[in-house]
Amino acid sequence: MSSIRIATWNINSVRLRIDMVLRFLDEYKPDALCLQETKSPDGLIPTAAIEAAEYGHIHKAGMKRYNGVAIIANRPLQDPEIINHCGKEDCRHIAATLADGPEVHSIYIPAGGDEPDREVNEKFGHKLDFVNSLADWFPRYRKSSNDIVAVGDFNIAPLETDVWSHKQLLKVVSHTPIEVEHLDNMQAAFNWQDAVRQMIPPEEVLFSWWSYRSRDWAASNRGRRLDHIWVTQPMGDKVTNAEVLKPARGWEPKPSDHCPVLIDVES
DNA sequence: ATGGTTGGTTACCAA
């Protein structure tokens, strides 16, 4: 039985952390790695090093300073697309089909600023609108009976066990009821299965991100699960493994504040 | 209540 491995990682600058990308590819050998926050114009992404690591197939949408998504694969990526939402070309959503495999989407949902009120914080409104746009996009342009994987930094931790304190984060952007409601609606609109929570029970506390703003991220352990892997239903039953690679949060010399998340799927 | 750190870029903005 052969298997496909798909990973996602908010890398927080692909140029600064290209060595960590190569380390991840070497140690975990995903068939496709989806990156977010590459923070690099397309021409400046160090593709030569990635290609030398035998990941010769790269689809990317990058811009100066902000955002940026990529898909790195060890086999051809067919029908590459860049998808825009909310009338912006801000490099948050790309897709391509892995040869003899599923269609893969790398998504970076806006963080949403500090104030969870769209009347006073337009970034929060943009976040909610972006999730709504994704909820509309998939049923409009795709069939949920096809093999499709949507991964990325969704910037929302939906479950009580996805945050270090449900009570203390109810009014903190990423875990407010309105955001969770929007994400739940997007999930239901295409019958997405949360592949990670399917393998790691919802009762279990699980984080994929720890802020830089703490003296000792591991000791304080105030994390959130912001990074997700969703699959369509025919695929859901074939997921055999899901992992959040917490050790990468401590990778020297300068870790990303997110760790990689991966799944294995029978193919 | 507040401040804490990081990356890209180069005066702060976004996270």
Side-chain angles (χ1 to χ4, degrees):
Chain A
M1 184 69 70
S2 74
S3 185
I4 288 188
R5 171 166 285 187
I6 293 166
T8 181
W9 196 6
N10 178 321
I11 195 63
N12 189 17
S13 173
V14 69
R15 283 179 283 171
L16 186 69
R17 281 185 255 276
I18 183 60
D19 290 344
M20 297 177 60
V21 171
L22 298 176
R23 174 178 174 180
F24 176 75
L25 294 173
D26 182 56
E27 289 186 17
Y28 293 92
K29 299 184 170 26
D31 297 291
L33 168 61
C34 299
L35 297 175
Q36 301 84 38
E37 281 208 271
T38 53
K39 292 187 173 176
S40 174
D42 288 341
L44 298 181
I45 290 180
T47 51
I50 297 166
E51 286 161 4
E54 296 184 50
Y55 282 84
H57 308 277
I58 304 171
H59 176 38
K60 57 196 183 306
M63 59 193 281
K64 208 173 171 181
R65 298 191 75 184
Y66 307 117
N67 314 331
V69 286
I71 305 173
I72 294 169
N74 62 5
R75 64 190 72 178
L77 287 167
Q78 299 154 344
D79 304 322
E81 280 181 83
I82 297 171
I83 298 141
N84 293 314
H85 298 278
C86 307
K88 297 174 193 273
E89 295 184 6
D90 53 355
C91 302
R92 294 179 178 275
H93 182 185
I94 59 173
T97 299
L98 200 55
D100 299 316
E103 180 178 300
V104 177
H105 291 251
S106 182
I107 299 170
Y108 177 49
I109 292 177
D114 289 331
E115 191 65 43
D117 177 354
R118 71 186 310 156
E119 299 303 321
V120 298
N121 170 19
E122 67 178 31
K123 287 190 275 189
F124 192 72
H126 178 219
K127 181 178 196 173
L128 298 180
D129 292 344
F130 194 96
V131 175
N132 284 343
S133 181
L134 286 168
D136 291 342
W137 191 91
F138 282 97
R140 177 178 304 220
Y141 296 109
R142 295 295 188 269
K143 288 183 193 296
S144 63
S145 54
N146 291 349
D147 287 348
I148 307 177
V149 186
V151 312
D153 178 1
F154 292 2
N155 268 313
I156 297 172
L159 306 180
E160 295 191 14
T161 49
D162 291 338
V163 292
W164 63 275
S165 167
H166 170 62
K167 209 167 182 178
Q168 286 176 260
L169 287 172
L170 274 171
K171 292 180 176 171
V172 174
V173 172
S174 73
H175 191 62
T176 63
I178 182 97
E179 289 168 271
V180 173
E181 185 183 305
H182 279 64
L183 191 70
D184 286 348
N185 174 59
M186 172 189 161
Q187 187 172 3
F190 203 61
N191 195 27
W192 289 111
Q193 309 296 300
D194 182 335
V196 175
R197 277 310 192 185
Q198 187 175 301
M199 301 307 295
I200 301 169
E203 296 75 29
E204 195 171 311
V205 170
L206 186 64
F207 308 145
S208 65
W209 171 90
W210 288 262
S211 174
Y212 285 128
R213 299 176 191 177
S214 79
R215 285 228 177 79
D216 186 333
W217 67 274
S220 60
N221 198 28
R222 295 185 167 191
R224 305 174 203 170
R225 188 173 72 105
L226 303 179
D227 303 276
H228 299 271
I229 300 181
W230 289 0
V231 302
T232 48
Q233 183 41 279
M235 279 189 86
D237 296 334
K238 297 179 183 171
V239 176
T240 57
N241 178 47
E243 295 174 44
V244 178
L245 302 169
K246 186 174 174 182
R249 181 61 181 78
W251 279 3
E252 297 293 342
K254 284 168 158 292
S256 169
D257 46 354
H258 294 254
C259 29
V261 181
L262 66 80
I263 60 165
D264 294 312
V265 188
E266 278 177 14
S267 62

